[in-house]
Amino acid sequence: MKTFKVIGLMSGTSLDGLDLTYCHFTRTLDRWAYRITKTQSISYSKSMKDKLKNSIYLSADELLTFNNTYGQWLGEQVKSFIKTNALEVDFIASHGHTTHHQPENGLTYQIGSGQHLANACKHKVVCDFRTNDVALGGQGAPLVPIGDRLLFGEYDFCLNLGGISNISFEKDGQRIAYDIGLANMILNYITQKIDLNYDKGGQLAESGSVNQKMLDALNALDYYKLPFPKSTGFEWFEDKVVPIVDATDESIENLLHTSIHHLCEQIALQVKSNTTKQKSNLLVTGGGALNDFLIATLKTKLGEAVDVIVPSQELIENKEALVFALMGVLRIEREINVLCSVTGAKRDSSSGVVYLPN
Ligand SMILES: Nc1ncnc2c1ncn2[C@@H]1O[C@H](COP(=O)(O)OP(=O)(O)OP(=O)(O)O)[C@@H](O)[C@H]1O
Ligand SMILES: CC(=O)N[C@H]1[C@@H]2OC[C@@H](O2)[C@@H](O)[C@@H]1O[C@H](C)C(=O)O
């Protein structure tokens, strides 16, 4: 039995930091098994956070330079993670950080130069998992559903609550997945108005109440009417969501409370319209799974027909990096790691670019 020892790297849209997830994968016949052995989460400094957030406004020169320096920085973090924990590593699988995502214009871009990363940590690197799918006419996102299928097949639905919410499930023998819409991106935007990174446990949100006008405006966003395949990101948030929040003269508590009702209503709509069983189960990961008020609201909106499963904090925080590590394994093995049933591309693909250290 072959074992793959991989470090997955993920930097998500909520901009809280870099997740390093060291995992072992084994395959017996057609079944993959995983074990997460060591994890580290490195919070971004205020200046790194601001730079990543504003990278969409950089000039071409500045962005290319940032791609290199961020790749170098990733490599240095990997190097010290390996050294501190004395890890034996086959290769690194890096998502990088999305600075641009406009699949409708044929572009998606994740910074974190693979060559700089490989040279800095002296290991083989697989990265740039999204470009090929967009070149094949797909959304280039979400990509984690391949991992949902191969590693988390016992769940009817996998829901991730990061900056953006996305869902994945099997329908008629095909994996279907898409970004539902808002999650922590709107919640963090609101708490940052009072210099708070996020609303721990959803305590502020819980003490608020619904502003019906804001709830209706959010629920009426055009994105929700689009059929899948679809994906979204910061550009949509800034363009369509921020104006609604900013036009609402309400307390932080009420803004948060309303946003949570909104995002849970959208999730419940998607789950209910795709449930074929009397009783189904839904795995929730991503930082939103640690927001107690959000989870309680979601349970209420879903009702008893859906079991909401909140796993260990380790899995909540590392599932995306774990799946990118698996995608790296599949790329190295030249197997399919991006599903066109999810992204709408012309065909499935084995995506990712491999860099050798120099
Ligand atoms: N204890 C907690 N209570 C409430 N919210 C929390 C808690 N811990 C984390 N969060 C929220 O989760 C966010 C981080 O989520 P996560 O790391 O899953 O996002 P991401 O991977 O950056 O996003 P994406 O998956 O969209 O790319 C934080 O910014 C915060 O809003
Ligand atoms: C372009 C991009 O980086 N998209 C992210 C983002 O964050 C959540 C959602 O939007 C999802 O589409 C995707 O990430 C996860 C890891 C994915 O590809 O499955």
Side-chain angles (χ1 to χ4, degrees):
M1 193 169 53
K2 198 166 169 189
T3 302
F4 299 88
K5 298 169 186 165
V6 189
I7 297 176
L9 299 183
M10 178 69 202
S11 174
T13 52
S14 69
L15 283 164
D16 52 342
L18 172 71
D19 296 323
L20 301 98
T21 307
Y22 177 60
C23 13
H24 290 191
F25 295 99
T26 50
R27 176 165 47 188
T28 321
L29 299 174
D30 245 7
R31 291 185 71 87
W32 283 97
Y34 74 89
R35 191 156 55 88
I36 297 175
T37 311
K38 272 275 173 258
T39 65
Q40 190 185 355
S41 196
I42 300 173
S43 299
Y44 288 132
S45 63
K46 168 98 174 64
S47 69
M48 180 72 113
K49 205 179 213 174
D50 288 346
K51 197 156 178 201
L52 287 167
K53 194 167 160 188
N54 295 319
S55 52
I56 194 164
Y57 305 114
L58 294 176
S59 69
D61 283 5
E62 288 167 335
L63 186 62
L64 293 173
T65 305
F66 191 28
N67 177 46
N68 294 345
T69 54
Y70 184 69
Q72 171 79 26
W73 181 82
L74 290 177
E76 284 159 10
Q77 307 318 304
V78 169
K79 189 177 169 189
S80 74
F81 180 58
I82 292 175
K83 190 165 175 225
T84 309
N85 298 294
L87 303 177
E88 218 179 276
V89 174
D90 294 328
F91 60 87
I92 316 300
S94 171
H95 171 266
H97 187 89
T98 298
T99 58
H100 296 68
H101 186 62
Q102 298 161 26
E104 64 286 5
N105 298 326
L107 71 93
T108 185
Y109 190 59
Q110 286 71 45
I111 57 164
S113 156
Q115 192 64 64
H116 288 72
L117 204 174
N119 290 358
C121 70
K122 298 278 176 253
H123 278 280
K124 177 156 68 177
V125 168
V126 191
C127 63
D128 194 4
F129 288 99
R130 300 191 193 272
T131 302
N132 184 42
D133 185 77
V134 173
L136 291 171
Q139 292 287 312
L143 299 186
V144 166
I146 184 75
D148 294 343
R149 172 180 268 181
L150 298 179
L151 303 179
F152 300 98
E154 72 267 38
Y155 299 102
D156 298 307
F157 296 92
C158 290
L159 172 71
N160 195 74
L161 300 173
I164 296 285
S165 59
N166 57 44
I167 191 156
S168 129
F169 51 90
E170 296 286 331
K171 197 168 193 176
D172 305 327
Q174 283 201 319
R175 195 84 200 170
I176 304 295
Y178 46 92
D179 288 349
I180 296 179
L182 294 169
N184 294 304
M185 204 177 266
I186 186 168
L187 304 180
N188 292 355
Y189 176 75
I190 294 167
T191 56
Q192 276 153 20
K193 287 178 184 286
I194 50 167
D195 282 334
L196 199 64
N197 279 338
Y198 66 93
D199 177 19
K200 195 161 186 204
Q203 288 177 6
L204 290 174
E206 189 170 15
S207 65
S209 57
V210 166
N211 174 304
Q212 196 60 44
K213 193 172 165 217
M214 175 177 165
L215 183 61
D216 292 344
L218 290 172
N219 281 333
L221 284 164
D222 284 343
Y223 178 78
Y224 297 120
K225 298 188 196 104
L226 295 176
F228 79 88
K230 60 177 179 176
S231 64
T232 190
F234 185 69
E235 288 96 324
W236 169 70
F237 174 74
E238 203 177 38
D239 194 31
K240 304 287 184 204
V241 181
V242 166
I244 296 176
V245 178
D246 287 352
T248 310
D249 185 16
E250 274 287 8
S251 66
I252 296 298
E253 288 83 351
N254 291 356
L255 292 175
L256 290 168
H257 191 96
T258 305
S259 302
I260 286 187
H261 271 267
H262 159 68
L263 68 94
C264 290
E265 279 174 19
Q266 292 302 325
I267 293 165
L269 218 62
Q270 297 308 316
V271 174
K272 285 180 179 168
S273 61
N274 289 294
T275 306
T276 47
K277 292 156 80 176
Q278 283 215 321
K279 184 98 185 163
S280 42
N281 60 9
L282 171 139
L283 177 73
V284 193
T285 53
L290 299 168
N291 184 323
D292 301 326
F293 177 64
L294 196 168
I295 294 298
T297 307
L298 185 61
K299 284 182 178 169
T300 308
K301 303 239 185 236
L302 284 170
E304 287 187 355
V306 184
D307 258 342
V308 175
I309 317 280
V310 178
S312 67
Q313 186 161 352
E314 182 177 76
L315 188 58
I316 285 176
E317 292 177 345
N318 290 278
K319 178 168 169 262
E320 289 185 337
L322 167 77
V323 173
F324 276 94
L326 175 68
M327 289 179 66
V329 173
L330 295 170
R331 171 66 186 83
I332 294 292
E333 295 289 286
R334 297 180 188 280
E335 292 179 35
I336 284 166
N337 63 4
V338 177
L339 299 171
C340 66
S341 64
V342 169
T343 65
K346 281 196 209 86
R347 55 179 176 274
D348 288 343
S349 62
S350 186
S351 288
V353 181
V354 180
Y355 290 88
L356 299 177
N358 272 298

